[in-house]
Amino acid sequence: MVSEQRRIVVVGAGSGIGAATAAHFHERGDHVLAVDLRPNDTPAAQHETVDLREADSIAELLGRIGPDWDALAYVAGVPGTAPAADVLRVNYLGMRLFTTGMLPLLRHGGSIVTVASVAALGWEQRIADLTGLLDATDAATVEQWQAGQDPNYPVYSTSKQAAIIFAKRLAPSAWQKFGVRVNTVSPGPTETPILTDFEDSMGKEVLDAVKATIGRHATVADIVPVIAFLAGPESRWVNAQDIHVDGGFVAPMMVGAPIEL
């Protein structure tokens, strides 16, 4: 148990990393609001449903949950096997609307953590390409932007790249106006119910190669402690960062072959 109960909103709490995150805080003795598209039995003090594809659904929920929350963990996400519009509306636009809407409801010293992905690798080179998406604040504009993109570029990667860039852009203002930190966590392949969807969209041989390189896929137990750290006071001077939690498999892609020992 913690010495002082904290109030945590976990979005995407119905399964996978989100369910594990909600359970982690609940087991610590925190007051957890578990939010998902469908009712679920994730351990939490409160449960709410929301359709993250719909701005009105997000606004309605935020309008009635009240203030004085300590952290938001936005873990909701849909894989690249879903329709492109849903991928962008949940992974990017829904995240944008939920996080900005939560800012006035968070206490000074609070934290927002969004789960992105190592599939966003290369986001630094796509900032200009994603300008139209990053300027979009409604679903119609998001879909209009996507209609003009290369259909062969993975929309899941686009959604997570935009999520990381948005978080980094939001972080300075959120800190200065609300005293709230904003960070992202980028897991590698993780053993969750939607892993097979990622195998379908990214290629099972690709994920198997990742697994062979580092020995295994991640489990939710590997990811949740990093989310919890960024959501807590121990990380009070960490802001505008994207933390890879991938067992180290991405690093050689960025800096070259590993040093042989």
Side-chain angles (χ1 to χ4, degrees):
M1 297 289 287
V2 292
S3 58
E4 180 179 349
Q5 186 182 59
R6 301 174 71 236
R7 287 164 49 81
I8 316 290
V9 177
V10 180
V11 182
S15 64
I17 297 172
T21 300
H24 170 86
F25 286 118
H26 179 76
E27 290 164 6
R28 280 171 44 96
D30 293 325
H31 180 101
V32 176
L33 169 57
V35 178
D36 204 83
L37 177 62
R38 299 178 182 86
N40 58 79
D41 58 2
T42 297
Q46 290 179 255
H47 289 82
E48 295 283 357
T49 58
V50 68
D51 188 342
L52 295 166
R53 298 168 297 183
E54 301 296 336
D56 289 346
S57 182
I58 294 171
E60 190 275 332
L61 175 62
L62 292 175
R64 60 186 167 82
I65 65 172
D68 298 324
W69 296 93
D70 292 288
L72 164 66
Y74 191 96
V75 195
V78 294
T81 50
D86 287 353
V87 174
L88 290 175
R89 288 170 75 170
V90 173
N91 296 2
Y92 171 64
L93 182 60
M95 176 278 301
R96 176 180 184 142
L97 297 176
F98 209 106
T99 56
T100 53
M102 273 293 297
L103 279 172
L105 307 181
L106 287 161
R107 294 170 175 161
H108 190 279
S111 175
I112 293 173
V113 185
T114 292
V115 172
S117 171
V118 295
L121 189 66
W123 64 263
E124 300 94 334
Q125 287 75 48
R126 295 203 74 216
I127 294 173
D129 295 338
L130 298 179
T131 297
L133 179 59
L134 290 161
D135 287 343
T137 57
D138 63 85
T141 307
V142 167
E143 292 180 29
Q144 183 180 16
W145 178 87
Q146 176 60 23
Q149 304 307 302
D150 178 357
N152 294 315
Y153 193 92
V155 69
Y156 181 80
S157 293
T158 292
S159 71
K160 295 302 187 177
Q161 290 166 348
I164 290 171
I165 297 166
F166 175 76
K168 287 180 175 289
R169 289 182 173 178
L170 179 64
S173 299
W175 175 254
Q176 291 163 15
K177 184 172 182 178
F178 297 99
V180 171
R181 297 175 297 106
V182 182
N183 294 287
T184 55
V185 172
S186 285
T190 304
E191 298 284 357
T192 68
I194 62 171
L195 181 62
T196 54
D197 292 284
F198 290 114
E199 290 177 343
D200 290 342
S201 61
M202 298 179 181
K204 187 176 186 302
E205 67 283 357
V206 174
L207 297 192
D208 284 347
V210 171
K211 186 175 184 179
T213 299
I214 56 177
R216 63 175 175 86
H217 287 324
T219 68
V220 293
D222 297 314
I223 312 301
V224 170
V226 184
I227 298 172
F229 170 70
L230 290 173
E234 298 84 359
S235 60
R236 61 186 175 272
W237 208 236
V238 180
N239 194 26
Q241 302 303 307
D242 177 51
I243 310 299
H244 278 195
V245 190
D246 65 350
F249 90 88
V250 163
M253 302 180 196
M254 303 173 69
V255 300
I259 294 172
E260 293 188 14
L261 298 175

